[in-house]
Amino acid sequence: MTGIGLWMWRITGKMKRRTFLGTTLAACTSPAFGRVFKTENQAGRRELVARRSTEPLVGMPYPPTPVWAFNGHVPGPEIRLRHGETLSLAIVNELDEPTSVHWHGVRVPWRLDGVAGLTQPPILSGEHFNVDFVPPDAGTYWYHAHANTPEQVGRGLYGPLIIEEAEPLAVDRELVWLLDDWRLAPDASIVEGFDDRHDASHGGRIGNTITLNGRLRPPIRVRSGERVRLRLVNAANARQFALDFGDLPLQVVAIDGQPVRPYAPDGLVSLPSAGRVDLVVDLLAPPSTTLEVTDHYYNEPTVVGALALDAQAPMRNSPPDTPFDLGASALPEPALGDAIEVDIVMQGGAMGGLREATLDGERRSMRDLAAAGRFWALNELVASGYDTAPLIKVARGRTVMLRFQNDTAFVHPMHLHGHHVKLLSLNGRPPTRTVWHDSVPVAPDQVVEVAFVADNPGRWLLHCHVLEHHMAGMGAIVQVA
Ligand code: C2O
Ligand code: CU
């Protein structure tokens, strides 16, 4: 990092502050990560094709990694729409096994939620499935396979979904970063064993290689002084991120796609499994410097990528004073006075102390459950398939208040499909700001209260987005009728 250099530059650099207005902010939102759709079928429908491919994740001298990918690349093509436009495409399955695509965080009609075996039949090998809907909210989302999910997402079946605001933020550049984590062998191939029981009963399948947009520690070329909107997406099966941007001035402007009143994070930017964070970052560092972005969630700090400032003179020397507030979220406000309250106790896993739980209607000992590859429960119910009684049944339009209590030794980012939930309290204390989540991280021993208006009819999944935890039992159905 360039701590000292940056500090010296900041106090000595004094340039005209206002030259940016009208000159640089106009042509601002061209995505730097530009794999757009090329494939179209005869009907003129864009295609998202799930197939085998290779991707040079690690780079020379390692061979490219065999992956499963949408349109041949990890991440898959960036799907970018204006708010109000229709997302319309054909998902084509060229894998050897069934698949489906879920639009993570988008309040879709239930039939298009893409959970194979729940909201639609799996898309069989050689078949396709058409999708048409208007995403109701602007923001940063992502799409991923939702069949044999730990393996399909783990092999690369995901991509970014960006719904632009009608009035985009005034920035000089926009970057979309999908972070992922791979368990690679010495030849850079993916290590098998997506059903590993140690992973499933501990923190999930944590890998040994972190990629940013499918590359190991890529340098991202930017210009000194630019204001950047950085859309972060955690696409890893199990890894949590806590990112350090060094001394760069930055503001969080959205979480899980929904606007927050901008604030400067105190310390690290936390990005739980499946989560998104939108940042406005001012690249106030000298030309030709490289600013590493490091992850500090685990013991060993790891570089995930680097902002490589080119040699051009700084665009400006202090943050522009243009506003970057995305306004308030348009989500329905929970009616707390009239809420259905549901306690959800998260149980099981290694060091969790769960003795027994119910699987397929039968009480089973933890030893039995473990033998069946099941380690986790919600309210002593172990998920198995989707053909089970809902944990919650609610009439359409009612408010539901969920009280998550984590009685396990691991963090669980709890994802509710089809809705966003408003954070009400953390260990009994109200949050310092209004935050909506589609994936709520609940730390060990924590109690987190959230609420949402159940306004989207369907049988929705509620599950831990450490994908191996869901596979091993941590999931339930919320029925809105
Ligand atoms: Cu991001 Cu059930 O999924
Ligand atoms: Cu979990």
Side-chain angles (χ1 to χ4, degrees):
M1 304 289 289
T2 54
I4 290 174
L6 176 62
W7 177 77
M8 288 179 54
W9 182 81
R10 263 198 212 155
I11 52 168
T12 54
K14 280 239 185 304
M15 281 178 59
K16 300 171 284 175
R17 262 195 95 182
R18 295 183 173 272
T19 47
F20 67 92
L21 276 173
T23 57
T24 58
L25 293 181
C28 57
T29 47
S30 69
F33 150 61
R35 282 173 191 149
V36 287
F37 277 97
K38 282 189 213 85
T39 356
E40 271 186 16
N41 63 16
Q42 292 96 322
R45 213 170 240 281
R46 298 186 299 180
E47 290 190 335
L48 199 53
V49 183
R51 60 179 173 86
R52 285 170 187 266
S53 182
T54 60
E55 189 70 55
L57 298 177
V58 187
M60 295 297 277
Y62 293 89
T65 300
V67 294
W68 298 357
F70 288 112
N71 297 9
H73 286 289
V74 180
E78 178 176 294
I79 303 176
R80 181 177 282 264
L81 306 171
R82 274 293 169 96
H83 190 207
E85 286 178 348
T86 304
L87 192 159
S88 178
L89 46 79
I91 300 154
V92 181
N93 185 2
E94 292 182 1
L95 302 169
D96 306 327
E97 62 176 51
T99 192
S100 67
V101 176
H102 169 58
W103 313 97
H104 185 110
V106 183
R107 300 186 294 145
V108 290
W110 183 72
R111 295 252 162 233
L112 298 175
D113 194 42
V115 179
L118 176 65
T119 67
Q120 66 170 85
I123 309 168
L124 302 178
S125 181
E127 297 195 337
H128 72 274
F129 181 81
N130 289 350
V131 170
D132 296 272
F133 65 92
V134 181
D137 308 301
T140 303
Y141 303 94
W142 63 302
Y143 58 91
H144 63 77
H146 214 304
N148 183 17
T149 317
E151 178 165 14
Q152 292 197 5
V153 174
R155 291 191 187 275
L157 286 167
Y158 63 81
L161 169 59
I162 309 298
I163 313 297
E164 294 180 346
E165 296 85 16
E167 300 245 344
L169 288 184
V171 293
D172 304 303
R173 186 190 297 273
E174 183 171 313
L175 297 171
V176 182
W177 287 5
L178 280 87
L179 303 184
D180 196 1
D181 167 46
W182 308 76
R183 187 175 293 172
L184 299 181
D187 64 353
S189 67
I190 295 172
V191 174
E192 302 292 320
F194 285 92
D195 54 359
D196 182 88
R197 296 204 171 169
H198 185 273
D199 293 338
S201 58
H202 290 72
R205 183 177 161 107
I206 307 284
N208 52 18
T209 307
I210 294 172
T211 57
L212 189 164
N213 295 345
R215 296 289 182 276
L216 174 69
R217 293 193 291 270
I220 311 282
R221 295 195 65 80
V222 288
R223 180 174 171 188
S224 171
E226 281 183 322
R227 169 163 284 183
V228 176
R229 177 178 187 165
L230 178 53
R231 299 176 184 262
L232 298 167
V233 180
N234 182 351
N237 281 33
R239 183 179 283 271
Q240 319 294 312
F241 290 96
L243 300 175
D244 182 5
F245 288 81
D247 296 331
L248 288 178
L250 52 86
Q251 299 274 329
V252 176
V253 298
I255 292 177
D256 282 3
Q258 298 295 325
V260 291
R261 177 168 302 157
Y263 67 95
D266 96 59
L268 305 172
V269 175
S270 100
L271 191 65
S273 295
R276 284 90 60 217
V277 174
D278 286 40
L279 299 174
V280 168
V281 187
D282 289 305
L283 300 177
L284 298 181
S288 304
T289 49
T290 298
L291 305 167
E292 288 181 334
V293 178
T294 47
D295 173 54
H296 289 258
Y297 189 89
Y298 301 92
N299 293 336
E300 279 288 290
T302 313
V303 176
V304 302
L307 292 157
L309 278 60
D310 64 21
Q312 284 188 78
M315 184 175 277
R316 63 179 75 84
N317 283 338
S318 56
D321 53 11
T322 41
F324 47 84
D325 192 333
L326 289 168
S329 123
L331 295 167
E333 187 63 30
L336 294 176
D338 185 33
I340 299 169
E341 297 190 12
V342 184
D343 282 291
I344 298 183
V345 184
M346 302 136 86
Q347 301 152 315
M351 302 162 284
L354 183 66
R355 309 266 290 274
E356 53 172 48
T358 301
L359 173 65
D360 295 329
E362 273 176 51
R363 276 317 261 185
R364 311 269 288 266
S365 70
M366 193 65 202
R367 175 191 294 263
D368 262 23
L369 292 169
R374 304 301 164 106
F375 299 94
W376 305 95
L378 299 174
N379 296 352
E380 298 196 5
L381 294 171
V382 181
S384 99
Y386 303 136
D387 202 15
T388 51
L391 181 69
I392 301 169
K393 274 187 173 177
V394 54
R396 185 177 181 179
R398 277 298 287 278
T399 290
V400 181
M401 202 269 261
L402 302 176
R403 187 179 300 105
F404 291 111
Q405 179 181 324
N406 185 347
D407 282 357
T408 81
F410 297 89
V411 66
H412 305 288
M414 297 300 290
H415 174 42
L416 176 62
H417 284 226
H419 300 79
H420 266 73
V421 300
K422 184 179 187 179
L423 186 60
L424 299 181
S425 74
L426 296 161
N427 289 335
R429 276 191 299 276
T432 44
R433 58 186 61 85
T434 302
V435 180
W436 296 84
H437 281 288
D438 54 60
S439 308
V440 193
V442 187
D445 298 324
Q446 212 177 26
V447 177
V448 177
E449 291 177 316
V450 299
F452 67 100
V453 179
D455 60 354
N456 198 355
R459 280 165 56 80
W460 299 101
L461 270 188
L462 168 67
H463 66 89
C464 177
H465 219 288
V466 170
L467 299 174
E468 294 75 22
H469 290 179
H470 183 205
M471 174 187 71
M474 191 171 271
I477 303 263
V478 176
Q479 182 173 323
V480 180

